[in-house]
Amino acid sequence: MVRTARKSAGEWPVRWDLLLRYRLIEVVALWEGRLTTNHLKRAFGIGRQQASKDINTYLVDYGPGNLEYDRFLKGYRPAEDFRPVFTRGVADEYLQMMHAREDLACSLESLTVRELNTEVLLPPARDLRPEVLRPVLQACREKKRVEIEYASLANPEPEFRVIQPHTVVHTGFRWHVRAWCEKNGDFRDFVLSRISDRPELVLPADRGVEDDAAWCARVAVRLTPDPRLTDAQRALIARDYGMVRQQLKIETRGALVSYLLQQLRVDLPAEQRSPQAQQIVVQNLQDIERWITMAD
């Protein structure tokens, strides 16, 4: 969080374009250990003079003492007492920056936005069309029913459905919308790439997010290294995941538990895979079993 006072209610303390530059300054300095004006020039298409001014402004107005110029590195490195101002100082922020670079590099090959010595493996893009997402999001905002033509693994032939959506979700691999299904009489996940027509908004909805018990439920998933591993292997896995006393607690929504386990490649039962492949298991399986569903 930015540690500067807002000028007035609803007013940003820093211009949006500058905020992005200051975030990049912190992420690159902290995680790569060397920041130069070239990082800002490549990322934002600005000149060396502007990039130098941005770094100096950051150091004077927001992060005094955070960066030290290293003549050997020919760039700035983070100070020993570096304290992030515009970021949280977590590795996910560096990963997000790498993802953004990779996306731009794939879309615009002429841009030299990739950095050396890093690579991001992106999952294949699903077939999500704006003509599908826009009306679905509008229905979520306006609390409307939507008519869709939908196919699933259980019913691969498209059929018309009326749904009442409340939230669009990206699981890390695909997009779906959480919605009340009038055909089945319950809340379900509808994969957006399987909607084959243009969704049509119809009557007002009478089911909302507050009616979705699985969505509103907060569930704690407790993970631990696979007990079939050796003590040394379990200690290694615990360090990989930042576990405390070989336990990791992740909170999520009941409706998202299955997707969390898919992301972590946790099979149930764990015995279906070798311990070297499984690596982690669910410690409180009985507590979360009711939320585990077969994703369609």
Side-chain angles (χ1 to χ4, degrees):
M1 289 291 291
V2 179
R3 294 196 297 264
T4 55
R6 297 182 183 275
K7 295 179 181 178
S8 62
E11 183 179 349
W12 285 84
V14 181
R15 263 191 5 238
W16 177 251
D17 58 330
L18 292 177
L19 177 63
L20 295 179
R21 294 180 205 174
Y22 297 153
R23 284 178 59 83
L24 182 136
I25 286 172
E26 292 190 345
V27 170
V28 170
L30 179 60
W31 295 102
E32 295 189 0
R34 176 178 179 265
L35 170 76
T36 70
T37 54
N38 284 334
H39 287 102
L40 292 167
K41 286 173 58 182
R42 284 196 296 265
F44 298 103
I46 58 179
R48 184 178 302 276
Q49 184 176 359
Q50 181 62 55
S52 180
K53 178 182 177 182
D54 290 339
I55 295 174
N56 288 331
T57 301
Y58 169 81
L59 284 171
V60 171
D61 294 344
Y62 303 106
N66 266 355
L67 306 177
E68 298 173 349
Y69 189 80
D70 189 312
R71 294 184 182 276
F72 179 76
L73 292 175
K74 295 182 179 179
Y76 292 90
R77 59 179 173 82
E80 288 294 328
D81 57 349
F82 177 91
R83 291 183 61 205
V85 180
F86 296 94
T87 58
R88 293 174 295 137
V90 296
D92 279 357
E93 291 167 330
Y94 183 55
L95 178 61
Q96 289 166 7
M97 185 184 72
M98 291 172 61
H99 270 287
R101 287 172 175 170
E102 193 70 21
D103 284 342
L104 279 174
C106 292
S107 302
L108 302 168
E109 295 181 359
S110 61
L111 290 182
T112 56
V113 295
R114 281 194 181 101
E115 295 293 335
L116 299 176
N117 312 117
T118 61
E119 189 75 24
V120 178
L121 179 62
L122 298 176
R126 296 294 183 101
D127 179 28
L128 176 59
R129 291 166 287 129
E131 295 81 5
V132 170
L133 182 59
R134 282 196 300 262
V136 168
L137 283 173
Q138 182 182 351
C140 292
R141 290 193 304 267
E142 299 179 2
K143 297 179 172 54
K144 293 286 188 68
R145 287 177 165 87
V146 186
E147 285 186 354
I148 61 173
E149 190 175 348
Y150 188 74
S152 65
L153 292 180
N155 296 290
E157 291 298 322
E159 61 178 354
F160 283 99
R161 303 272 192 102
V162 176
I163 63 173
Q164 302 182 36
H166 64 71
T167 307
V168 170
V169 178
H170 186 258
T171 67
F173 298 98
R174 74 176 193 185
W175 294 88
H176 71 251
V177 61
R178 184 75 176 170
W180 175 263
C181 176
E182 298 199 351
K183 174 187 174 184
N184 294 289
D186 58 11
F187 282 96
R188 298 194 171 200
D189 300 333
F190 293 87
V191 183
L192 294 180
S193 60
R194 296 177 183 171
I195 298 176
S196 55
D197 66 335
R198 291 173 179 263
E200 182 179 348
L201 277 64
V202 286
L203 299 172
D206 57 14
R207 300 274 182 165
V209 63
E210 66 279 358
D211 302 308
D212 190 346
W215 183 263
C216 296
R218 302 300 301 181
V219 179
V221 179
R222 300 182 185 276
L223 303 167
T224 190
D226 193 314
R228 295 173 294 170
L229 295 170
T230 66
D231 290 346
Q233 289 173 325
R234 290 199 300 273
L236 183 63
I237 297 301
R239 189 170 71 228
D240 283 346
Y241 285 89
M243 295 182 179
V244 177
R245 298 186 182 88
Q246 296 204 350
Q247 291 187 359
L248 176 64
K249 175 184 173 183
I250 302 178
E251 287 196 0
T252 187
R253 298 183 183 276
L256 299 179
V257 168
S258 293
Y259 302 109
L260 173 64
L261 297 181
Q262 287 177 4
Q263 274 192 343
L264 296 170
R265 299 180 63 203
V266 174
D267 283 355
L268 300 174
E271 291 73 19
Q272 292 179 349
R273 299 169 69 196
S274 70
Q276 288 77 16
Q278 182 72 23
Q279 297 190 359
I280 56 175
V281 297
V282 178
Q283 194 175 43
N284 61 331
L285 183 57
Q286 289 186 339
D287 298 335
I288 69 169
E289 273 184 323
R290 61 175 295 200
W291 306 114
I292 299 174
T293 60
M294 292 297 292
D296 185 4

